[in-house]
Amino acid sequence: MQRVKLLIDMDDCILDFESTWKRLFIEMIGNYDFPERKSFYIYHDLPIEFHEKAKEITNHPELFLMFNMYDGAYEALNELHEEFDVELVTAPHTTNINCYTHKAQWIEKHLGHDWLNCLTITKDKKQIIGDYLIDDHPNVVGRNIIPMWKQIVFDQAYNQNIDCCYRLKSWEKEEVEKLKKFIKSQKT
């Protein structure tokens, strides 16, 4: 029997983009009381006078090396990799040219060299063939109207309005077990 192909996004799914970004923002402008995040694009929730500063952070030459991994993500990825064909699929921030190399370096440092064979960097995730995509994005865009996968939403404050087949709340062991059970139940 063919293994289920599980595609997993990086930013705000396995690595904590938001916390690192907010820390850099505070270092740049001083204390700031962030509103509850309602938009996928973090700077959209900020007053317009901060948009240029926000873009500076996103284009920080070392940004994509600074992220921490979500608790439990390392163990979960390795556990999922034992049962499924796991591929990391991430979109580049095209205004930050270092993003491409630094995402690969981040993978090698935090997950190990072998995971580089499981990495795809693309602006169009809908072109990637798989059974499921775990992603926080509320509207994964691409040229294909209908992707080859079903989205499993990685829970974030800004994606609560997504109607999806499954929602992954964290990488805690119990959540990963529920996810595996859900995927296996869909293949019967």
Side-chain angles (χ1 to χ4, degrees), residues 1-4 184 187-188:
M1 186 162 81
Q2 188 173 0
R3 286 168 48 118
V4 170
K184 290 174 184 174
K187 286 296 179 184
T188 57

Side-chain angles (χ1 to χ4, degrees), residues 78-95:
N78 285 300
E79 184 177 330
L80 292 169
H81 196 48
E82 290 176 11
E83 293 188 44
F84 308 116
D85 181 10
V86 175
E87 184 173 341
L88 303 175
V89 180
T90 186
H93 292 251
T94 54
T95 59

